[in-house]
Amino acid sequence: LPGRSNVGTTTAPQPPIGPYRRLPVQVHQADPHAAEVARRLIALIATRWPATPAEHVGSTAVPGLAGKNIIDLLLAAEPAHIPAITQALLELGFQPQRPAAFPATRPMLWGTFRHGPTDYRVHVHVVPADDPEVAAMRGFRDALRADPRLRRRYAALKRAIVWCGPVDPVTFTKAKRS
């Protein structure tokens, strides 16, 4: 309103993580900025939870690998710390996955993170450190990094899944494991 002053009013600061946008799956060429985005996200998470460093996993953690261009992070945590880690992630602006595909004992939170002019979708997997999924995520990332043939076959599989048109994320993930 004209003549009205904003002196004395405060607005809540915007969290660094924005609302998640769920989109049909498409396979894109590798984003050369993905590693830098992941480093920034890992540093951001460490400001709230330094005890358990996040690590970059998934297709964007493999240079040159085509994928959904979603930054996947893994926090391999002591099970007793998972509720506090989840709360720290929520305070950064991450949101619970909807509908939830994972239990609260192994949550996946999501959000968007602005890097330059681009909003990156982010998935943070908080997994009990002793769960075999931790070794599987790390192992698959490392195998893809080490084997160009495996990278080509995996990219071709992802492209084949979406060849007929957009696919929902759950169907895409299940099809990759078939």
Side-chain angles (χ1 to χ4, degrees):
L1 294 171
R4 203 158 194 192
S5 170
N6 288 334
V7 174
T9 61
T10 59
T11 58
Q14 289 291 95
I17 302 300
Y20 190 80
R21 294 180 328 273
R22 190 171 196 149
L23 302 169
V25 174
Q26 295 180 335
V27 177
H28 304 274
Q29 291 297 351
D31 185 325
H33 302 288
E36 175 62 23
V37 173
R39 281 190 292 276
R40 289 185 61 204
L41 285 159
I42 290 166
L44 175 66
I45 291 168
T47 66
R48 295 291 174 107
W49 192 265
T52 307
E55 43 188 305
H56 193 189
V57 295
S59 294
T60 59
V62 181
L65 181 59
K68 297 182 294 182
N69 281 349
I70 293 174
I71 307 296
D72 282 294
L73 300 177
L74 166 66
L75 274 91
E78 292 303 316
H81 295 164
I82 289 176
I85 293 170
T86 300
Q87 183 58 42
L89 293 170
L90 292 170
E91 290 169 4
L92 288 170
F94 285 101
Q95 306 102 55
Q97 180 187 27
R98 298 280 187 243
F102 299 97
T105 56
R106 185 269 183 244
M108 197 275 284
L109 291 95
W110 58 19
T112 58
F113 182 71
R114 170 130 335 217
H115 178 77
T118 306
D119 284 331
Y120 286 83
R121 292 184 297 155
V122 182
H123 294 175
V124 182
H125 300 267
V126 185
V127 183
D130 60 353
D131 190 304
E133 185 181 8
V134 171
M137 291 173 103
R138 289 172 176 157
F140 192 53
R141 173 202 57 205
D142 295 345
L144 286 166
R145 285 176 173 171
D147 186 342
R149 184 170 179 254
L150 179 61
R151 281 194 304 275
R152 285 190 301 274
R153 290 176 56 213
Y154 189 52
L157 170 64
K158 291 188 285 186
R159 286 188 179 100
I161 294 167
V162 299
W163 182 77
C164 292
V167 178
D168 75 89
V170 174
T171 302
F172 181 79
T173 299
K174 288 179 180 175
K176 289 189 305 181
R177 292 182 180 150
S178 313

